[in-house]
Amino acid sequence: MAPKTRISQPIVPDTVRDSLNTYAPLVQQLLFTRGIHDAESARAFTEPNYDTDLHSPFLLTDMAKAVERILRAMREGEHIVIYTDYDCDGIPGGVLLHDFFTAIGYTNFENYIPHRHEEGYGFNADSVPYFKERNAKLIITVDCGITDHPAVEKANELGIEVIVTDHHEPSETLPPAYAVINPKRDDAYPFKGICGTAVAYKLVQAILEEGKKSGQITLKDGMEKWWLDLVGLATIADMVPLTGENRVFARYGLQVLRKSQRPGLQHLLRKAGGSQRYLTEDDIGFTIAPRINASSRMDTPEDAFHMLRTRDEGEAGAHVLHL
């Protein structure tokens, strides 16, 4: 029996073909089949641009409120907890915020990742008293928190304010946090498909914009682009749709990953027989991400966190070997 084939619909009308005429006929057909019918959409799909194709982070509801609170926490020297999920979206997001605070010279913060088997998924209410003992005044979640009402309520009860950054579907009501940043909470943000680390990156972009404007933060322009390795890693590993802003994060994330100075990534790729210079999305999906995810599934997520965070060759090599 001959295999069945399905032929794509030809490009119609001719005006669509004319708008895609800068591409080879096969590429025109591929674009058309994917619902791309005009030149600008084709350009954004095939040549995503960091400077023109990303939306302002302040379009996210509560972003301005969150930025104001974080800048105030920094001015007053408050202890900040970065609470992240334990997978290959949450862990890079935690490293991103760690690198950001370190780069701007703020040291009164800590990263916390729950243990998958002992604490379970999400922002856990049982961890909040520990943060109170640590004199925390502010908790920032990454890739979790949108449905964790009890934990946010517990934090409020103990006098700790919470900023939730997440990308998962919200429940009927939002948690009673100081700010909730999630592209899926309403229709304010034009693109709902970004991952948790990308939401954290948006927060960093906004803090930098406002902090530089007020003179509270001094950081070399464009420095944040070096953290796109983490955004690209999480975007591809979390298997979000590679459309819209995600194409920007994937494209530039891969570019930065190929140049990344993180010794953990370099050690990991060498040990797995990969090439950093020619790294592809397959290397993320089948080499890097499984090892990061293995840390929480078989041991502690801190192993993967420190592998990505450290700048020490020996420490990086030890973590890679363990993973």
Side-chain angles (χ1 to χ4, degrees), residues 84-106:
T84 67
D85 189 20
Y86 44 61
D87 68 0
C88 200
D89 189 5
I91 291 174
V95 176
L96 190 155
L97 288 183
H98 170 280
D99 287 2
F100 163 68
F101 282 121
T102 302
I104 63 174
Y106 193 76

Side-chain angles (χ1 to χ4, degrees), residues 45-89:
F45 189 84
T46 59
E47 302 173 60
N49 188 291
Y50 182 89
D51 295 316
T52 61
D53 293 339
L54 292 182
H55 305 297
S56 166
F58 287 101
L59 292 177
L60 286 157
T61 302
D62 276 1
M63 181 61 84
K65 190 177 180 184
V67 168
E68 177 276 327
R69 180 66 185 88
I70 293 168
L71 290 174
R72 174 156 49 93
M74 290 166 53
R75 285 194 303 271
E76 297 177 5
E78 295 179 346
H79 185 61
I80 300 172
V81 173
I82 302 164
Y83 191 110
T84 67
D85 189 20
Y86 44 61
D87 68 0
C88 200
D89 189 5

Side-chain angles (χ1 to χ4, degrees), residues 14-207:
D14 288 340
T15 52
V16 173
R17 187 182 297 279
D18 291 343
S19 68
L20 301 177
N21 65 6
T22 57
Y23 299 95
L26 175 60
V27 178
Q28 291 179 30
Q29 183 66 59
L30 292 170
L31 290 169
F32 180 79
T33 303
R34 284 157 179 75
I36 298 169
H37 299 166
D38 62 86
E40 175 52 28
S41 298
R43 195 278 312 157
F45 189 84
T46 59
E47 302 173 60
N49 188 291
Y50 182 89
D51 295 316
T52 61
D53 293 339
L54 292 182
H55 305 297
S56 166
F58 287 101
L59 292 177
L60 286 157
T61 302
D62 276 1
M63 181 61 84
K65 190 177 180 184
V67 168
E68 177 276 327
R69 180 66 185 88
I70 293 168
L71 290 174
R72 174 156 49 93
M74 290 166 53
R75 285 194 303 271
E76 297 177 5
E78 295 179 346
H79 185 61
I80 300 172
V81 173
I82 302 164
Y83 191 110
T84 67
D85 189 20
Y86 44 61
D87 68 0
C88 200
D89 189 5
I91 291 174
V95 176
L96 190 155
L97 288 183
H98 170 280
D99 287 2
F100 163 68
F101 282 121
T102 302
I104 63 174
Y106 193 76
T107 58
N108 194 10
F109 74 93
E110 67 176 294
N111 285 81
Y112 185 90
I113 311 173
H115 194 285
R116 177 191 294 263
H117 305 296
E118 295 175 7
E119 297 175 78
Y121 170 78
F123 181 24
N124 194 317
D126 291 340
S127 64
V128 177
Y130 166 76
F131 303 139
K132 180 66 175 177
E133 291 174 8
R134 303 276 294 165
N135 199 33
K137 300 295 183 184
L138 179 64
I139 298 171
I140 304 171
T141 74
V142 177
D143 194 36
C144 63
I146 194 64
T147 59
D148 296 320
H149 297 63
V152 176
E153 290 163 1
K154 185 67 174 177
N156 291 340
E157 178 189 317
L158 295 180
I160 306 173
E161 291 182 314
V162 179
I163 294 172
V164 170
T165 77
D166 202 350
H167 74 121
H168 294 102
E169 292 288 344
S171 54
E172 289 185 6
T173 59
L174 295 174
Y178 183 88
V180 177
I181 303 172
N182 185 330
K184 293 175 182 171
R185 64 169 286 181
D186 54 30
D187 293 326
Y189 197 69
F191 184 68
K192 298 184 184 301
I194 55 178
C195 67
T197 295
V199 177
Y201 187 75
K202 291 285 181 181
L203 177 63
V204 165
Q205 286 182 308
I207 297 170

Side-chain angles (χ1 to χ4, degrees), residues 196-274:
T197 295
V199 177
Y201 187 75
K202 291 285 181 181
L203 177 63
V204 165
Q205 286 182 308
I207 297 170
L208 283 174
E209 183 178 332
E210 198 60 34
K212 287 181 178 180
K213 192 187 302 180
S214 66
Q216 186 175 341
I217 293 176
T218 55
L219 191 70
K220 183 179 178 182
D221 287 345
M223 178 72 181
E224 70 277 8
K225 291 180 182 178
W226 282 105
W227 302 322
L228 286 168
D229 58 349
L230 299 165
V231 186
L233 169 60
T235 295
I236 294 170
D238 214 43
M239 298 179 69
V240 290
L242 290 184
T243 58
E245 288 187 308
N246 288 339
R247 295 192 73 76
V248 177
F249 290 136
R251 178 189 186 185
Y252 288 89
L254 283 167
Q255 287 182 9
V256 178
L257 277 163
R258 291 170 188 144
K259 302 175 183 177
S260 178
Q261 296 301 304
R262 298 182 190 278
L265 285 172
Q266 294 173 345
H267 277 277
L268 192 154
L269 285 167
R270 280 199 298 269
K271 185 148 186 69

